[in-house]
Amino acid sequence: MLIAEAATIDLSVRTSLYGVYVASLAQCLRWLVLEDTQWKLRRNVNPLTLTVSVLVFLLTTANISISFCRAYVSVHNEQSSFVKYIFASSTLDIATTLIGDAILISQCWITYSKSWRMIYFPILLWIFTLALSIIVIYGSATAIFESNNTWTDPLTRLLYALSSCHIVTNVYSTSTIIYRTVQIMKGNPEPMSYRISRIIAESGLLYTLASIVILLTAIVGQQSIFFPISCAINALATGITHNLILIRRGQHRARLSSNAVSVRQGGKTKTLSGLQFNVSSATSEDPAEEQYPDEKHRDANTLA
């Protein structure tokens, strides 16, 4: 495949998915900065979550801009500039991927009631991935700007190792989240479509699948049309997955709050069918605190 064709395909897919990302970001920010039931600014906005959302947006938008420049220089056959834009885009992709892995690990941590034992393994992998990323970026910069060919073969092996660590981290986090989510949903009356969408949103399944596909296409052959497509999908999957997780948290928080209000009459707690609803535990402002309560307090209920 010609370089210009690959750059054009990559740009087309990225811009299409960027529209989906921006739409999900708007919904995500609505749950982050506004009250659940009215258009008023939330009093307690999670600064870390908001900062990560803005950072992912900036990195993704900058990468889209670089993709436009890369497509332009490839059409005009400016080889030296094209290679530099490839390096810049790849660096942003690696940074975004590291953030995406950290988001998925934190989601696993929250899902298991903030149990550090469950995330020791992915944290170690993430640290190793960070070290490999620094080496890859340094080697790429040396090979491009100093015309040092000694990094060519090691970079290929390092990239495969980097992708492998990235995939293992995602598969572990996603599988553990799915297992926990399925356990929690047992006996719930929600329809199957709701359960499937909940699993996809909370587990980061789309993000994990995208990372696997890009490695498979790289092994099969980078000259294939599927390689630039998989690269573009993987680049945007991080932001979309992050937004879906936060949207799900916001909806879950609003649902708990709505259930608490529906059983509260005159400032008192109402007992229904032998179950006592603990209203105070269902109105937390921090979405991380209420993603999955402990087994004893699931759905903000305790046995009377």
Side-chain angles (χ1 to χ4, degrees):
M1 179 185 298
L2 297 177
I3 294 178
E5 292 178 352
T8 304
I9 292 173
D10 178 87
L11 177 61
S12 300
V13 178
R14 282 179 188 260
T15 50
S16 300
L17 291 178
Y18 186 73
V20 177
Y21 165 71
V22 171
S24 65
L25 178 63
Q27 184 74 356
C28 168
L29 293 177
R30 176 259 176 274
W31 289 108
L32 277 180
V33 302
L34 298 178
E35 296 287 347
D36 295 336
T37 57
Q38 51 189 332
W39 294 93
K40 293 176 58 178
L41 290 177
R42 183 178 297 278
R43 288 176 296 176
N44 298 323
V45 178
N46 190 320
L48 178 60
T49 304
L50 183 60
T51 300
V52 171
S53 300
V54 173
L55 180 59
V56 172
F57 169 74
L58 294 176
L59 291 175
T60 304
T61 304
N63 212 341
I64 290 290
S65 302
I66 292 174
S67 297
F68 273 103
C69 297
R70 187 174 58 193
Y72 175 82
V73 298
S74 65
V75 171
H76 291 79
N77 199 25
E78 300 178 16
Q79 185 65 28
S80 60
S81 299
F82 178 79
V83 173
K84 293 177 181 179
Y85 282 126
I86 283 286
F87 169 74
S89 180
S90 300
T91 302
L92 292 179
D93 282 341
I94 290 175
T96 307
T97 298
L98 287 171
I99 295 175
D101 290 352
I103 291 170
L104 203 55
I105 293 172
S106 69
Q107 177 70 359
C108 180
W109 179 62
I110 292 170
T111 302
Y112 282 86
S113 304
K114 300 184 178 181
S115 171
W116 290 99
R117 177 175 56 87
M118 294 302 301
I119 62 171
Y120 286 150
F121 176 64
I123 284 179
L124 290 176
L125 277 177
W126 187 88
I127 294 174
F128 188 61
T129 304
L130 175 62
L132 285 175
S133 300
I134 295 173
I135 297 173
V136 166
I137 293 173
Y138 172 78
S140 300
T142 303
I144 293 172
F145 297 103
E146 297 182 7
S147 300
N148 189 345
N149 295 326
T150 58
W151 278 94
T152 303
D153 291 335
L155 274 177
T156 302
R157 292 191 290 269
L158 286 171
L159 284 172
Y160 281 123
L162 178 63
S163 298
S164 300
C165 291
H166 168 58
I167 290 174
V168 172
T169 301
N170 291 349
V171 170
Y172 173 88
S173 301
T174 299
S175 58
T176 53
I177 292 172
I178 290 177
Y179 175 79
R180 175 66 168 172
T181 305
V182 170
Q183 292 297 314
I184 290 177
M185 289 192 301
K186 282 184 177 179
N188 289 353
E190 290 90 353
M192 183 59 65
S193 59
Y194 172 81
R195 297 186 184 188
I196 294 175
S197 62
R198 175 175 171 179
I199 289 174
I200 293 175
E202 295 178 6
S203 65
L205 183 60
L206 297 177
Y207 179 59
T208 301
L209 292 177
S211 63
I212 295 175
V213 168
I214 191 174
L215 179 60
L216 293 177
T217 54
I219 294 174
V220 171
Q222 298 187 11
Q223 300 301 320
S224 169
I225 188 176
F226 297 106
F227 184 70
I229 294 176
S230 61
C231 289
I233 293 175
N234 187 69
L236 273 298
T238 303
I240 294 174
T241 300
H242 173 63
N243 294 339
L244 289 177
I245 290 174
L246 294 182
I247 290 170
R248 167 58 195 160
R249 287 185 190 176
Q251 291 176 341
H252 179 73
R253 182 183 62 238
R255 186 179 181 185
L256 287 180
S257 180
S258 176
N259 290 340
V261 171
S262 65
V263 300
R264 188 167 47 196
Q265 293 184 351
K268 297 182 179 180
T269 301
K270 184 179 179 181
T271 303
L272 300 175
S273 304
L275 295 177
Q276 182 175 350
F277 288 75
N278 189 343
V279 174
S280 61
S281 66
T283 57
S284 172
E285 290 290 339
D286 184 6
E289 291 291 334
E290 53 199 13
Q291 176 67 7
Y292 288 116
D294 293 335
E295 290 292 332
K296 296 180 181 179
H297 309 288
R298 187 188 308 165
D299 297 329
N301 299 339
T302 54
L303 291 176

